[in-house]
C-alpha cells in the first residue's frame, strides 16, 4: 500500500509514436520520497492502460491520495479517470499545465476533485500531502487550488535542490521517440522558464523567469541515466535549452570530459545563433535541434509575437546544418491573417530550408496563453478534434475562424505533410541515412494511414 499514487492519464484510443517519461510526476515522486512519503507512479500511456486498466491499478494500490497530472488535451481523460477512482482515494488532486492555466474552473469541469495544484510542485506538494495525511481538511499553501481560493504558486528558486526524478518508479524500457529510434530514451529538464512571449505559449507552470540547473548536476543526471538505465538518447524538455550559450557549452564540455556516450535532442530559438555552441553540441552528441519556425511570412511572425525574422530562420537553420546537426522545424497552420495559398508558401519555405523533419500543427489557443484571451474575445475558440497526425481521439482547443474552418485546416495539413514527406528528394535522402529505410517505412506507414483515414 502506498500513501500517494501519481498518474499520467490514458490517451484515449491511441498508441502514440512518442512515449516519453512524465517528468513532472517523476520529479514530484522523488520529492515525496525525500519527505518520507511512500509513492507509486502509474504511467498509463507507457503501460498501454486504458481507463479501466488505470483504475484497476489504483484500486490495487489503495492510496490515500491520488494526484493526476493533466495537459489541456488530456483533461477529459484525467476527469473520467478521476470519476472512476473517486471511491478508491480519500483525496483526489489534479496538477500539471491544465489546472495551472484554468485554476478554479477545474471544479466545474470535474466536481469529484478535492484540490488542484498550480505551477511547480516539488516544494509545496509534499507539504500538502503531509498536511492531508495528518488530518488537515482545509490546507492553505502556495499553488493550492481549493473550492474557495486559488493561491499563487511559488516557483522553485534553486533547481539544483530538487532530487533527480524517480526513474525507478517508471517503466523505463517502454519509452521511445520517432526521431531518435532504436535506443532507450529519457527526458531531462536542465532549465525552466522562458523570457519570450510568443502569443500561443502557455507559461503558467514554469513562468517567464529563466532558471537553470548547474551544468555539473545536469551531466550527473545524464551519466546516471546512461550508467544505471542504459539510456542512449536524451530529450531536453527545457522550454528553451539554448538561451544561455555559455551554459550549454559547459554542459557539452562536461559530457565529453566524462566520456558519457549519449545522443540528444533539444529546443533552440532562431535568434540565438552561436556557431561555437553548435560545434560543441555536435561533439557532445546533439543529433537534432527543434526550432519553432511557424511561418514563412514576417507579418505572421510579428502577429505571433515571435520576435524573429525570416532571415534569422534561414541563418539559424544553415548554421545548424553546417555544424552537422539535424533540424526539426515546427510550423503553425490556421493563422487568422494568412490565406491557404500563403500557408502553402510556408510549406515551400520548409522545403527550401532543407529541414530534416517538420511538424505541422494548428494554431491552438491553450488556456494560459494570450491567444486564448484573444480567441474568446473574437469568438474563435472551439473545442474540436485536432487535425494533425499525432493528435488523438479527444477534442482540444482550436482557433476556428470563418476562413479557417476545421475542414480547411484538415485540408492544409494533409497537403503539407504530403508535399514535405512524400517528395522524391526527401524519400531518397531519408533512405540513405543509417537505419533510413527502417525509419522511413515506419514513419511513412504511420503517415499514410493518417492520410488515408483523413480522406
Ligand atoms: S514558444 Fe518557446 S520561445 Fe516562445 S515563449 Fe514559449 S517557450 Fe518561449
Amino acid at each position: 500500500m502506498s500513501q500517494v499514487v501519481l498518474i499520467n492519464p490514458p490517451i484515449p484510443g491511441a498508441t502514440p509514436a512518442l512515449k516519453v517519461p512524465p517528468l513532472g510526476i517523476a520529479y514530484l515522486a522523488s520529492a515525496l520520497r525525500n519527505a518520507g512519503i511512500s509513492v507509486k507512479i502509474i504511467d498509463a500511456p507507457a503501460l498501454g492502460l486504458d481507463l479501466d486498466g488505470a483504475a484497476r491499478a489504483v484500486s490495487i494500490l489503495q492510496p490515500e491520495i491520488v494526484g493526476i497530472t493533466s495537459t489541456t488535451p488530456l483533461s477529459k481523460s484525467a476527469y473520467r479517470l478521476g470519476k472512476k477512482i473517486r471511491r478508491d482515494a480519500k483525496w483526489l488532486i489534479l496538477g500539471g499545465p491544465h489546472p495551472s492555466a484554468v485554476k478554479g474552473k477545474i471544479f466545474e469541469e470535474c466536481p469529484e476533485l478535492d484540490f488542484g495544484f498550480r505551477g511547480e510542485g516539488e516544494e509545496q506538494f509534499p507539504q500538502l500531502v503531509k498536511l492531508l495525511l495528518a488530518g488537515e481538511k482545509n490546507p492553505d499553501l502556495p499553488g493550492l487550488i481549493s473550492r474557495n481560493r486559488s493561491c499563487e504558486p511559488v516557483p522553485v528558486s534553486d533547481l539544483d535542490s530538487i532530487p533527480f526524478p524517480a526513474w525507478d518508479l517508471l517503466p523505463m524500457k517502454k519509452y521511445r521517440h520517432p526521431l531518435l529510434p532504436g535506443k532507450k530514451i529519457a527526458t531531462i529538464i536542465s532549465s525552466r522558464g522562458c523570457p519570450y512571449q510568443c502569443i500561443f505559449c502557455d507559461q503558467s507552470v514554469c513562468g517567464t523567469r529563466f532558471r537553470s540547473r548547474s551544468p555539473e548536476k545536469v551531466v550527473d543526471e545524464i551519466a546516471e541515466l546512461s550508467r544505471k538505465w542504459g539510456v542512449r538518447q536524451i530529450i531536453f524538455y527545457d522550454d528553451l535549452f539554448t538561451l544561455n550559450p555559455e551554459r550549454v557549452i559547459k554542459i557539452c564540455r562536461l559530457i565529453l570530459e566524462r566520456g558519457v556516450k549519449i545522443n540528444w535532442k533539444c529546443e533552440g530559438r532562431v535568434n540565438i545563433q552561436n556557431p561555437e555552441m553548435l560545434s560543441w553540441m555536435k561533439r557532445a552528441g546533439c543529433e537534432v535541434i527543434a526550432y519553432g519556425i511557424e511561418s514563412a511570412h514576417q507579418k505572421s511572425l510579428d502577429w505571433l509575437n515571435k520576435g524573429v525574422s525570416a532571415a534569422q530562420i534561414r541563418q539559424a537553420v544553415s548554421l545548424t546544418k553546417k555544424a552537422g546537426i539535424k533540424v526539426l522545424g515546427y510550423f503553425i497552420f490556421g493563422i487568422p491573417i494568412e490565406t491557404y495559398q500563403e500557408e502553402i508558401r510556408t510549406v515551400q519555405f520548409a522545403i527550401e530550408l532543407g529541414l530534416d523533419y517538420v511538424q505541422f500543427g494548428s494554431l491552438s489557443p491553450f488556456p494560459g496563453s494570450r491567444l486564448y484571451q484573444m480567441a474568446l474575445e473574437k469568438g474563435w475558440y472551439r473545442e474540436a478534434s485536432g487535425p494533425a497526425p499525432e493528435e488523438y481521439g479527444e477534442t482540444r482547443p482550436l482557433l476556428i475562424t470563418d476562413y479557417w474552418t476545421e475542414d480547411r485546416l484538415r485540408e492544409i495539413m494533409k497537403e503539407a505533410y504530403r508535399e514535405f514527406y512524400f517528395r522524391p528528394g526527401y524519400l531518397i535522402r531519408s533512405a540513405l541515412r543509417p537505419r533510413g529505410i527502417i525509419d522511413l517505412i515506419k514513419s511513412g506507414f504511420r503517415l499514410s494511414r493518417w492520410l488515408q483515414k483523413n480522406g
Side-chain angles (χ1 to χ4, degrees), residues 332-373:
I332 292 178
F333 290 145
I335 298 173
I337 59 165
E338 287 186 349
T339 62
Y340 195 95
Q341 277 318 310
E342 283 172 322
E343 300 207 340
I344 289 296
R345 169 72 199 111
T346 290
V347 181
Q348 289 307 320
F349 183 56
I351 293 171
E352 285 161 28
L353 287 171
L355 299 175
D356 298 278
Y357 313 100
V358 290
Q359 200 172 308
F360 298 122
S362 50
L363 192 54
S364 293
F366 282 108
S369 66
R370 279 170 50 207
L371 185 65
Y372 176 70
Q373 285 310 326

Side-chain angles (χ1 to χ4, degrees), residues 103 118-119 124 140-145 149-155:
K103 304 169 199 150
R118 290 169 62 192
Q124 273 85 34
D140 187 15
L141 281 168
L144 188 72
I145 312 168
R149 63 183 296 214
S150 165
C151 305
E152 279 305 306
V154 176

Side-chain angles (χ1 to χ4, degrees), residues 193-203 207-208 238-240 267-269 271 292 294 304-306:
C194 170
Y196 292 98
Q197 312 255 304
C198 305
I199 190 175
F200 49 83
C201 188
D202 165 24
Q203 294 170 302
T208 54
D238 302 39
D239 291 330
L240 182 48
E267 312 275 307
R269 206 169 196 281
N271 59 319
E294 329 302 4
L304 296 166
N305 205 32
K306 288 290 295 184

Side-chain angles (χ1 to χ4, degrees), residues 11 15-20 45 175-179 185 235 237 359 390 392 446:
I11 299 176
T15 312
L18 173 72
K19 282 186 184 171
V20 290
Y175 298 115
R176 58 171 191 257
H177 191 292
L179 299 189
I185 69 156
I235 304 161
Y237 258 39
Q359 200 172 308
E390 283 294 313
Y392 305 107
R446 194 174 298 118

Side-chain angles (χ1 to χ4, degrees), residues 410-422:
R410 238 172 270 286
E411 201 44 52
I412 184 91
M413 206 70 81
K414 274 188 295 177
E415 192 164 347
Y417 271 107
R418 238 187 248 125
E419 280 199 25
F420 187 89
Y421 281 112
F422 291 108

Side-chain angles (χ1 to χ4, degrees), residues 30 49 80 152 191 231 246 260 265 302 376 390:
S30 63
L49 296 176
R80 279 196 294 273
E152 279 305 306
S191 66
V231 166
E246 258 178 49
V260 187
K265 166 189 174 281
D302 296 342
L376 290 183
E390 283 294 313

Side-chain angles (χ1 to χ4, degrees), residues 130-439:
K130 279 187 172 173
L131 288 171
L132 295 175
L133 293 176
E136 172 65 57
K137 295 216 166 15
N138 295 303
D140 187 15
L141 281 168
L144 188 72
I145 312 168
S146 56
R147 281 196 157 66
N148 48 18
R149 63 183 296 214
S150 165
C151 305
E152 279 305 306
V154 176
V156 177
S157 55
D158 176 12
L159 294 183
D160 278 346
S161 66
I162 305 173
F164 293 168
W167 303 114
D168 56 306
L169 298 182
L170 293 170
M172 294 294 282
K173 288 187 184 143
K174 303 274 186 187
Y175 298 115
R176 58 171 191 257
H177 191 292
L179 299 189
L180 304 167
K183 292 180 184 160
K184 283 193 191 159
I185 69 156
T187 42
I188 279 198
I189 297 181
S190 79
S191 66
R192 296 182 184 179
C194 170
Y196 292 98
Q197 312 255 304
C198 305
I199 190 175
F200 49 83
C201 188
D202 165 24
Q203 294 170 302
S204 41
V205 175
C206 294
T208 54
R209 191 167 65 84
F210 180 78
R211 293 151 291 143
S212 61
R213 296 167 62 194
S214 65
E216 288 76 15
K217 278 268 184 188
V218 175
V219 180
D220 283 350
E221 190 174 332
I222 296 173
E224 188 174 310
L225 280 166
S226 164
R227 198 185 58 242
K228 217 165 147 184
W229 299 101
V231 166
R232 294 290 173 267
Q233 309 267 16
I234 296 268
I235 304 161
F236 281 94
Y237 258 39
D238 302 39
D239 291 330
L240 182 48
F241 180 73
T242 58
L243 185 71
N244 178 346
E246 258 178 49
R247 186 189 79 99
V248 174
I249 291 173
K250 271 191 200 149
I251 291 173
C252 295
R253 274 182 195 275
L254 281 173
I255 291 175
L256 290 166
E257 275 167 28
R258 295 199 198 168
V260 187
K261 297 273 173 278
I262 205 88
N263 292 120
W264 44 282
K265 166 189 174 281
C266 65
E267 312 275 307
R269 206 169 196 281
V270 296
N271 59 319
I272 301 166
Q273 299 177 2
N274 186 316
E276 192 194 348
M277 173 182 75
L278 291 170
S279 150
W280 277 103
M281 289 168 78
K282 173 65 187 170
R283 275 183 275 165
C286 178
E287 284 206 331
V288 182
I289 300 182
Y291 292 115
I293 295 173
E294 329 302 4
S295 170
H297 307 286
Q298 192 60 49
K299 64 169 183 178
S300 307
L301 295 171
D302 296 342
W303 191 85
L304 296 166
N305 205 32
K306 288 290 295 184
V308 301
S309 66
Q312 283 175 320
I313 294 172
R314 286 183 198 278
Q315 200 176 359
V317 172
S318 152
L319 286 173
T320 309
K321 289 175 74 72
K322 227 180 258 166
I325 299 172
K326 292 189 197 122
V327 183
L328 160 65
Y330 299 131
F331 291 87
I332 292 178
F333 290 145
I335 298 173
I337 59 165
E338 287 186 349
T339 62
Y340 195 95
Q341 277 318 310
E342 283 172 322
E343 300 207 340
I344 289 296
R345 169 72 199 111
T346 290
V347 181
Q348 289 307 320
F349 183 56
I351 293 171
E352 285 161 28
L353 287 171
L355 299 175
D356 298 278
Y357 313 100
V358 290
Q359 200 172 308
F360 298 122
S362 50
L363 192 54
S364 293
F366 282 108
S369 66
R370 279 170 50 207
L371 185 65
Y372 176 70
Q373 285 310 326
M374 184 195 285
L376 290 183
E377 281 160 27
K378 298 205 180 262
W380 290 341
Y381 185 88
R382 297 276 188 293
E383 302 247 334
S385 54
E390 283 294 313
E391 294 169 332
Y392 305 107
E394 297 284 7
T395 57
R396 52 176 286 151
L398 278 186
L399 198 132
I400 302 293
T401 64
D402 289 344
Y403 183 81
W404 284 110
T405 60
E406 280 179 70
D407 284 346
R408 192 168 265 146
L409 275 176
R410 238 172 270 286
E411 201 44 52
I412 184 91
M413 206 70 81
K414 274 188 295 177
E415 192 164 347
Y417 271 107
R418 238 187 248 125
E419 280 199 25
F420 187 89
Y421 281 112
F422 291 108
R423 76 203 130 99
Y426 185 83
L427 293 173
I428 293 166
R429 205 154 45 104
S430 309
L432 292 176
R433 284 188 196 130
R435 276 187 57 91
I437 288 282
I438 301 167
D439 300 338

